[in-house]
Amino acid sequence: MFAQSDGTFVCKRGHTRDPRALDLPPDEVWLANERGELVRILTPAATLECLFAADREYLDAPAHCEAEHPPLVEIRDAVLDLVTAMELGMPYPAEVRR
């Protein structure tokens, strides 16, 4: 989906969607990237929660091959969501639980 100048989104088939009609979980947001495409990501606060939870799980897990360790994938995905959110103008959360 792509952002329109009137604030709505349009898909490749021409269907439009009002952003107020989006039903999102409270920890997700939809943003338009630099190409005007609709991007669905976790909020920075939710991303950090995911990052810290995965980090705690990784530190508590027995040592074995890191490439096969699921928390590392979660950490990577959370960091990428955080970077995307920040690049698209979302503020860094004022309070971060660690």
Side-chain angles (χ1 to χ4, degrees):
M1 296 192 95
F2 296 89
Q4 302 280 89
S5 60
D6 65 359
T8 61
F9 297 98
V10 65
C11 74
K12 292 179 182 179
R13 292 193 218 166
H15 298 103
T16 59
R17 170 73 63 118
D18 187 311
R20 294 172 293 200
L22 298 175
D23 184 25
L24 298 174
D27 59 349
E28 292 183 358
V29 293
W30 291 53
L31 304 166
N33 67 16
E34 63 278 355
R35 293 184 304 273
E37 298 168 321
L38 189 61
V39 180
R40 180 177 164 180
I41 62 172
L42 289 174
T43 64
T47 299
L48 289 171
E49 289 282 335
C50 180
L51 177 63
F52 294 139
D55 185 52
R56 282 189 299 275
E57 183 180 341
Y58 174 71
L59 292 174
D60 293 342
H64 61 280
C65 179
E66 292 179 1
E68 297 177 2
H69 205 318
L72 291 179
V73 174
E74 292 176 35
I75 290 169
R76 183 203 61 216
D77 291 346
V79 168
L80 291 174
D81 275 349
L82 179 61
V83 168
T84 300
M86 304 297 281
E87 287 176 343
L88 295 175
M90 292 196 70
Y92 190 84
E95 292 186 29
V96 178
R97 289 185 294 173
R98 295 182 184 214

